[in-house]
Amino acid sequence: AVACQVEAEVNEEGRINCLMRRLEGLQQEKGRIILELEREEEMLTNNLQKKLNEVRREKAMLQQKIEKEQRASANLKSQLDLQQTPISEEGEEDEEEDGNDSEGAEEKQEAE
C-alpha cells in the first residue's frame, strides 16, 4: 500500500512537473507573441503616421496651388475687365460719333 502510494505521488509529481514546464513554455510563447504584436503595431502606427504626414503635405501643396490659381484667375479677370471697359466705352462713343456723322452727311445730301 505504501509502495502504491509512493508510486502515485511520483506519477502525480511527474504530471505536475510536466504541466509546469508546459505552462512555462506557453507563458514564454505568450510573451514572445505580445512583443511581436507590439512591434507590428508600432510599425503599422509609424507607417500610418508617415502616410498621414505625406497626405498633409500634399494637401498643403494643393491648397497653395488652388490659392495661386485663384489669385491668377482673379488677376486675369480684373485685367480682362480693365481691357474691356475702355474698349466698350470707346466703342459706344465711336458709334455715337459715327451716327452723328452719317446723319450730318444725310442732311448735307438732302440740302443739296
Side-chain angles (χ1 to χ4, degrees), residues 46-106:
N46 289 340
N47 286 340
L48 289 172
Q49 190 64 46
K50 286 177 187 177
K51 287 180 182 181
L52 179 61
N53 289 339
E54 193 176 311
V55 167
R56 285 180 176 159
R57 276 193 301 274
E58 188 175 341
K59 178 185 175 188
M61 287 181 355
L62 289 172
Q63 284 176 330
Q64 288 175 349
K65 188 175 181 179
I66 287 170
E67 289 170 5
K68 184 178 176 182
E69 295 282 336
Q70 287 174 339
R71 284 193 301 270
S73 176
N75 287 341
L76 287 174
K77 186 176 182 213
S78 64
Q79 287 176 359
L80 185 60
D81 289 345
L82 288 175
Q83 288 175 355
Q84 288 179 346
T85 302
I87 291 173
S88 63
E89 287 176 0
E90 289 175 9
E92 291 172 7
E93 290 173 5
D94 289 344
E95 288 175 8
E96 289 174 6
E97 290 174 8
D98 289 344
N100 290 340
D101 289 345
S102 60
E103 288 176 10
E106 289 174 5

Side-chain angles (χ1 to χ4, degrees), residues 20-67:
M20 292 292 286
R21 283 191 300 271
R22 188 170 172 205
L23 181 61
E24 272 183 44
L26 290 172
Q27 286 176 335
Q28 287 177 351
E29 186 178 357
K30 178 184 173 184
R32 183 184 57 77
I33 290 171
I34 288 173
L35 285 175
E36 189 177 322
L37 286 173
E38 286 174 352
R39 280 191 213 117
E40 190 172 339
E41 181 183 17
E42 187 174 340
M43 182 186 71
L44 290 171
T45 302
N46 289 340
N47 286 340
L48 289 172
Q49 190 64 46
K50 286 177 187 177
K51 287 180 182 181
L52 179 61
N53 289 339
E54 193 176 311
V55 167
R56 285 180 176 159
R57 276 193 301 274
E58 188 175 341
K59 178 185 175 188
M61 287 181 355
L62 289 172
Q63 284 176 330
Q64 288 175 349
K65 188 175 181 179
I66 287 170
E67 289 170 5

Side-chain angles (χ1 to χ4, degrees), residues 5-21:
Q5 189 175 359
V6 169
E7 189 178 329
E9 284 181 16
V10 168
N11 283 341
E12 189 68 26
E13 193 172 320
R15 278 183 49 208
I16 290 172
N17 286 339
C18 182
L19 290 172
M20 292 292 286
R21 283 191 300 271

